[in-house]
Amino acid sequence: EVQLLESGGGLVQPGGSLRLSCAASGFTFSTYAMSWVRQAPGKGLEWVSSISGAGGNTYYADSVKGRFTISRDNSKNTLCLQMNSLRAEDTAQYYCAKERADRILGRWSGWGQGTLVTVSS
Amino acid sequence: QSALTQPRSVSGSPGQSVTISCTGTSSDVGGYNYVSWYQQHPGKAPKLMIYDVTERPSGVPDRFSGSKSGNTASLTISGLQAEDEADYYCCSYAGSYDVIFGGGTKLTVL
């Protein structure tokens, strides 16, 4: 059974940094692309970033490009999102999500329960 | 890329069928057969219901079906059940490793 467990969320001031982690189990982690998807309070879903199975290719939404960095450690089955220069509009529940294959097509068959990031002074 | 367009809400009675539309452009929905649909209950993570326009993951009831015509994709839920009440989001690959969502549709089972 696919299990994804996010951690690292919390309250941070505008301009600050935060690092999210996602511990994966129940599947061969390195053979699947992984993503972060967020949802602002009371709002819809927004794709944030994706990374290929081997970690060599990374992709970002325009809204976070240059501020966020996605990475993965396949030896530890862990996905990370380093978030810098945080803004109030980054406040959201952040979900770790597993693609159906090592292709980034928005077909996420596994999701964590999310971790809440609040950017406020 | 702008978000895909979905109706804010739809409703139906138990046993009836409802269809949720998702309108994009030739650069996303119309350009690729990579449209997915997600169901989200309050306070829960999204769940994949349909992928590649028409495909159902294992475990998803066959009451859920997907289709596409031009730049508009649709999710149809037949034989509505109370547990189907949730928010539904469409999602499309938009080329150049970009993925966009619709704004979401709230389904109410009357």
Side-chain angles (χ1 to χ4, degrees), chain B residues 70-87:
Chain B
N71 296 336
T72 298
S74 299
L75 172 71
T76 298
I77 309 170
S78 58
L80 265 181
Q81 299 182 4
E83 68 216 46
D84 298 333
E85 184 163 294
D87 292 327

Side-chain angles (χ1 to χ4, degrees), chain B residues 35-97:
Chain B
V35 175
S36 302
W37 289 90
Y38 295 90
Q39 177 192 66
Q40 187 180 35
H41 288 107
K44 300 296 186 180
K47 175 185 177 182
L48 180 65
M49 304 302 284
I50 295 287
Y51 67 96
D52 294 356
V53 179
T54 61
E55 301 299 309
R56 258 189 327 273
S58 60
V60 173
D62 60 6
R63 303 185 294 104
F64 291 83
S65 62
S67 63
K68 190 183 84 168
S69 177
N71 296 336
T72 298
S74 299
L75 172 71
T76 298
I77 309 170
S78 58
L80 265 181
Q81 299 182 4
E83 68 216 46
D84 298 333
E85 184 163 294
D87 292 327
Y88 290 84
Y89 294 91
C90 64
C91 174
S92 176
Y93 181 66
S96 300
Y97 302 101

Side-chain angles (χ1 to χ4, degrees), chain A residues 80-98:
Chain A
C80 292
L81 185 68
Q82 177 66 42
M83 304 186 295
N84 298 330
S85 303
L86 283 162
R87 306 167 180 167
E89 54 263 37
D90 296 319
T91 294
Q93 185 85 343
Y94 283 73
Y95 293 101
C96 166
K98 166 191 169 291

